[in-house]
């Protein structure tokens, strides 16, 4: 079965720096790869989606890359702020909505002022 | 904006009680999901439904059942609550590519 790994449980960075979070998967490449943000005690919120034929996607200070050869996605937050502190989850969509998403365990990001 | 609501934010129940967790979405989504989330274990899929009166087991269905009588409502039932079902329960609905989560119910079973 598909396995997904977010290789840091926690990441601390200085305000203003770029945070880079990693998501690795095994087996087949997903049709889509998604990133969610989760604040403590709340449900995850969708941030970005990247398709298998896309290399990079941007939204404001967020950038996602997708490398099907390395079986990896990188999630970048540039000019990070303390308000970016949260847990970030990656999720694989293997079949364009026909099967449930496979979620990673998340990386807890702390941006220190 | 899509809204997914859950009936309670916090719930305290006793071992052996029957527990109902309700989830309602307002976007006419066909797909709905129930997860539990525990520290170090991430999100684990309990049950999901792709249509009214339809249900599929997820990764950890034991001890749970679900009901989907109407498209907008997906209920999770703990037939006889146990202490190892103390957790954060998250409902989600999905239309197209994006999944929308409810605020979660933190359940404590004593």
């Amino acid at each position: 079965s598909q396995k997904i790994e977010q290789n840091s449980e926690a990441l601390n960075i200085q305000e203003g720096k770029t945070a880079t979070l990693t998501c690795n998967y095994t087996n087949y490449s997903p049709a889509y790869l998604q990133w969610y943000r989760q604040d403590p005690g709340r449900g995850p919120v969708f941030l970005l989606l990247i398709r298998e034929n896309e290399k990079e996607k941007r939204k404001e200070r967020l950038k996602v890359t997708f490398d099907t050869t390395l079986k990896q996605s990188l999630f970048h937050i540039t000019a990070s702020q303390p308000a970016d502190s949260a847990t970030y989850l990656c999720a694989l969509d293997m079949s364009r909505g026909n099967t449930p998403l496979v979620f990673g365990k998340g990386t807890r990001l702390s941006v220190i002022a | 904006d899509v809204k997914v609501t859950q009936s309670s934010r916090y719930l305290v129940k006793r071992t052996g009680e029957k527990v109902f967790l309700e989830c309602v979405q307002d976007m006419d989504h066909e797909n709905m999901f129930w997860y539990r989330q525990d520290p170090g274990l991430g999100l684990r899929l309990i049950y999901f439904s792709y249509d009214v009166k339809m249900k599929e087991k997820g990764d950890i269905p034991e001890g749970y059942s679900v009901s989907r009588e109407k498209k907008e409502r997906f209920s999770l039932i703990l037939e006889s609550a146990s202490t190892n079902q103390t957790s954060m329960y998250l409902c989600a609905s999905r239309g197209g590519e994006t999944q929308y989560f409810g605020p979660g119910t933190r359940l404590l079973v004593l």
Side-chain angles (χ1 to χ4, degrees):
Chain A
S1 63
Q2 185 67 273
K3 283 195 179 156
I4 179 169
E5 252 184 45
Q6 294 187 247
N7 61 357
S8 299
E9 200 174 307
L11 182 66
N12 296 330
I13 62 158
Q14 200 90 31
E15 183 177 8
K17 302 286 186 190
T18 295
T20 298
L21 284 62
T22 306
C23 177
N24 294 294
Y25 59 90
T26 59
N27 301 335
Y28 303 105
S29 285
Y32 306 143
L33 195 146
Q34 305 188 16
W35 285 88
Y36 289 76
R37 169 183 172 140
Q38 187 175 22
D39 291 291
R42 296 184 173 272
V45 174
F46 171 77
L47 293 175
L48 277 171
L49 177 151
I50 188 163
R51 293 176 175 80
E52 59 185 329
N53 60 350
E54 296 175 320
K55 295 279 187 208
E56 185 180 296
K57 205 79 165 285
R58 289 177 187 259
K59 180 182 173 185
E60 297 169 358
R61 294 185 296 111
L62 308 180
K63 184 177 91 171
V64 172
T65 63
F66 191 8
D67 188 326
T68 54
T69 304
L70 292 178
K71 297 188 178 180
Q72 183 181 80
S73 174
L74 299 179
F75 177 81
H76 306 272
I77 306 174
T78 57
S80 59
Q81 303 165 1
D84 295 325
S85 298
T87 296
Y88 292 87
L89 306 170
C90 76
L92 309 184
D93 181 348
M94 302 307 297
S95 61
R96 293 183 180 82
N98 294 322
T99 53
L101 295 175
V102 179
F103 280 90
K105 291 181 182 178
T107 296
R108 191 172 65 252
L109 174 69
S110 297
V111 181
I112 301 153
Chain B
D1 266 359
V2 175
K3 204 154 190 182
V4 180
T5 55
Q6 294 183 229
S7 47
S8 307
R9 288 303 309 274
Y10 301 96
L11 214 48
V12 181
K13 295 291 180 181
R14 298 244 171 240
T15 303
E17 276 193 79
K18 191 167 186 174
V19 181
F20 292 86
L21 302 181
E22 304 283 341
C23 175
V24 178
Q25 51 98 359
D26 67 357
M27 278 303 289
D28 203 35
H29 288 166
E30 306 221 323
N31 305 337
M32 296 187 75
F33 308 86
W34 273 106
Y35 298 87
R36 65 177 282 178
Q37 189 174 36
D38 302 286
L41 297 178
L43 281 168
R44 292 184 289 167
L45 182 64
I46 305 171
Y47 266 98
F48 61 101
S49 169
Y50 283 161
D51 204 350
V52 175
K53 296 199 186 292
M54 177 268 179
K55 61 186 179 186
E56 292 277 354
K57 291 180 180 178
D59 301 317
I60 51 161
E62 296 79 19
Y64 303 94
S65 62
V66 289
S67 171
R68 188 136 181 232
E69 295 296 318
K70 292 186 177 181
K71 193 174 187 179
E72 67 272 17
R73 189 179 296 268
F74 192 34
S75 304
L76 180 70
I77 304 147
L78 286 66
E79 296 289 344
S80 177
S82 64
T83 54
N84 64 11
Q85 291 179 311
T86 289
S87 187
M88 172 72 133
Y89 288 88
L90 288 158
C91 173
S93 76
R94 188 170 181 192
E97 299 161 343
T98 307
Q99 192 149 303
Y100 300 88
F101 285 85
T105 295
R106 194 168 289 283
L107 173 67
L108 173 62
V109 182
L110 299 172

